[in-house]
Amino acid sequence: SGHYGRGNLGEDGRTLPLQGQVGFELLPDQLVNKCVNQGFDMNILCVGETGIGKSTLLDCLFKANFDDTVHTHKSTSVEISQHIYNLKEGIVKLRLAIVDSVGYGDQINKENSFKSLVDYIDEQFESYLQEELKIKRDLVSFHDSRIHVCLYFLVPTGHSIRSLDLVTMKALDKKCNIIPIIAKSDTVSKSELDSFKANIMSELVANDVEIYTFPTEDETVAEVNKEMNEMMPFAVVGSRDDVKVGEAGGRGREYPWGVVEIENEQHCDFVKLREMLIRTNMEDLREVTHSKHYELYRRGKLKQMGITDDGAHPVSLQETYEQKRAEHLEELQRIENEMRQNFVNKVREKDLELKRNEKEQTARYEGLRKENKEEKNRLDEERKK
């Protein structure tokens, strides 16, 4: 009657030794081949004020020259700009979406600066949810545009984090993986930078802002990830210019007093950021986006739709649809009745007003007629005399 006996195997079954090679040990290879053939999606949201170096840093991270539109500080609102690139390294294909927050922090009133960012992230979640809910869905070929990581560029004040940054990060921390970055870190001294990093982390903790932490469950990366978590936020320098130091060359910034090499770990944390973001934890960022941030959104939306999961008796989508349809029709009927009643009331008011005007006009006419008759009688009397 729908129940299946497990005999004495227990919930997890019984462990059996094999008597020879079967072949399912190759399952991981099959999975790798499938993933390589399908390619990967990676969507990066860059948040920071105009001119802080977002485009330059992305160029350095992926060793490419992405489209770069120069923006002014005169934007009246925060707009979202998305560019999609198809990259290939070896046999691995990556569809990279770079999403920029154009005009962020440029307005005098910065109260709703984060709203367009939150709306954009929610729109991508909604798009994925709608595809999931389709009867005929295709999540393999569907372009997953959900934001996997938010690189949050902090102004190198050397003192403390700005209130605008705290408010925005708090608004985003339940929706995406935030990695804070101190941009243009070569504009502050080493001691100021260390103090600034400590202040940022303590203020984030004090304000209950949850940033992404590199996972430490996997033994192969646990040690390095733990070390990198303690180094957050990363202080970076970006450059599109090649500089030469001795026999070696690479991207860097040249000053009268010397050269800042972006790939020199003594000069900045750029190499650490690239290592953590791309080479070690890119798949974890994608996984956390799906299992944590999207799951939170999906759960909330399904609850709004009235879909609950009550143990062994889940409410079916069809029942929910019929219930919502009935509620919608009832609401439409209520609005229609309200509009009809309003129309009847207005007609009645107009009718009363017309009758009142008619009565006033009749009274005025009668008054004038009476005055006219009295004047005529007076003139007739004078004529007789």
Side-chain angles (χ1 to χ4, degrees), residues 267-326:
H267 292 183
C268 70
D269 298 332
F270 171 79
V271 171
K272 296 181 179 70
L273 173 65
R274 185 178 62 196
E275 195 72 31
M276 291 296 97
L277 179 68
I278 300 173
R279 298 180 180 176
T280 310
N281 298 299
M282 186 182 272
E283 182 52 34
D284 186 70
L285 287 163
R286 287 158 36 87
E287 173 57 33
V288 171
T289 296
H290 181 76
S291 62
K292 180 181 174 183
H293 300 299
Y294 169 69
E295 184 59 27
L296 192 63
Y297 177 86
R298 188 187 74 91
R299 218 174 283 170
K301 289 299 281 190
L302 292 183
K303 278 182 184 173
Q304 278 180 25
M305 291 165 65
I307 300 175
T308 56
D309 211 354
D310 135 19
H313 307 288
V315 177
S316 76
L317 200 56
Q318 183 64 29
E319 287 172 11
T320 303
Y321 170 76
E322 292 298 339
Q323 181 188 342
K324 289 290 174 186
R325 186 171 180 276

Side-chain angles (χ1 to χ4, degrees), residues 200-209:
I200 288 170
M201 294 310 290
S202 65
E203 287 184 52
L204 291 177
V205 171
N207 290 277
D208 198 27
V209 176

Side-chain angles (χ1 to χ4, degrees), residues 124-141:
Q124 311 321 306
F125 282 155
E126 184 63 27
S127 173
Y128 193 89
L129 179 61
Q130 290 304 321
E131 183 65 23
E132 265 193 339
L133 292 176
K134 283 181 182 176
I135 293 172
K136 188 177 180 182
R137 59 186 182 173
D138 185 6
L139 292 172
V140 174
S141 63

Side-chain angles (χ1 to χ4, degrees), residues 89-314:
E89 186 177 36
I91 59 169
V92 178
K93 293 172 288 186
L94 180 69
R95 179 162 50 180
L96 176 69
I98 299 175
V99 183
D100 191 8
S101 53
V102 179
Y104 178 77
D106 289 343
Q107 297 73 41
I108 294 171
N109 181 2
K110 300 176 174 62
E111 192 177 334
N112 293 318
S113 292
F114 62 83
K115 189 176 184 308
S116 56
L117 304 173
V118 171
D119 289 346
Y120 178 82
I121 293 170
D122 282 348
E123 282 166 18
Q124 311 321 306
F125 282 155
E126 184 63 27
S127 173
Y128 193 89
L129 179 61
Q130 290 304 321
E131 183 65 23
E132 265 193 339
L133 292 176
K134 283 181 182 176
I135 293 172
K136 188 177 180 182
R137 59 186 182 173
D138 185 6
L139 292 172
V140 174
S141 63
F142 177 77
H143 177 209
D144 181 4
S145 57
R146 295 172 298 175
I147 294 298
H148 297 122
V149 63
C150 167
L151 297 181
Y152 198 101
F153 291 71
L154 297 166
V155 178
T157 63
H159 304 294
S160 62
I161 192 167
R162 300 179 305 172
S163 57
L164 169 65
D165 299 323
L166 276 175
V167 169
T168 303
M169 282 199 260
K170 186 62 189 165
L172 296 177
D173 71 351
K174 296 289 186 290
K175 295 183 177 293
C176 61
N177 302 309
I178 300 173
I179 296 181
I181 293 169
I182 301 170
K184 298 185 175 180
S185 64
D186 55 336
T187 59
V188 290
S189 69
K190 180 77 168 65
S191 59
E192 285 177 323
L193 197 56
D194 291 341
S195 171
F196 188 34
K197 280 189 174 191
N199 289 345
I200 288 170
M201 294 310 290
S202 65
E203 287 184 52
L204 291 177
V205 171
N207 290 277
D208 198 27
V209 176
E210 189 181 335
I211 61 170
Y212 173 75
T213 52
F214 304 116
T216 53
E217 296 80 23
D218 183 352
E219 289 180 10
T220 57
V221 293
E223 194 175 329
V224 67
N225 276 354
K226 184 172 182 246
E227 187 184 335
M228 291 300 116
N229 281 331
E230 291 168 3
M231 293 199 67
M232 295 262 271
F234 294 120
V236 299
V237 178
S239 175
R240 292 190 175 101
D241 300 326
D242 286 323
V243 294
K244 197 161 186 182
V245 181
E247 293 300 312
R251 290 194 183 196
R253 301 183 74 86
E254 203 160 355
Y255 293 98
W257 44 262
V259 172
V260 175
E261 302 165 75
I262 68 167
E263 296 203 22
N264 185 332
E265 294 191 50
Q266 298 299 316
H267 292 183
C268 70
D269 298 332
F270 171 79
V271 171
K272 296 181 179 70
L273 173 65
R274 185 178 62 196
E275 195 72 31
M276 291 296 97
L277 179 68
I278 300 173
R279 298 180 180 176
T280 310
N281 298 299
M282 186 182 272
E283 182 52 34
D284 186 70
L285 287 163
R286 287 158 36 87
E287 173 57 33
V288 171
T289 296
H290 181 76
S291 62
K292 180 181 174 183
H293 300 299
Y294 169 69
E295 184 59 27
L296 192 63
Y297 177 86
R298 188 187 74 91
R299 218 174 283 170
K301 289 299 281 190
L302 292 183
K303 278 182 184 173
Q304 278 180 25
M305 291 165 65
I307 300 175
T308 56
D309 211 354
D310 135 19
H313 307 288

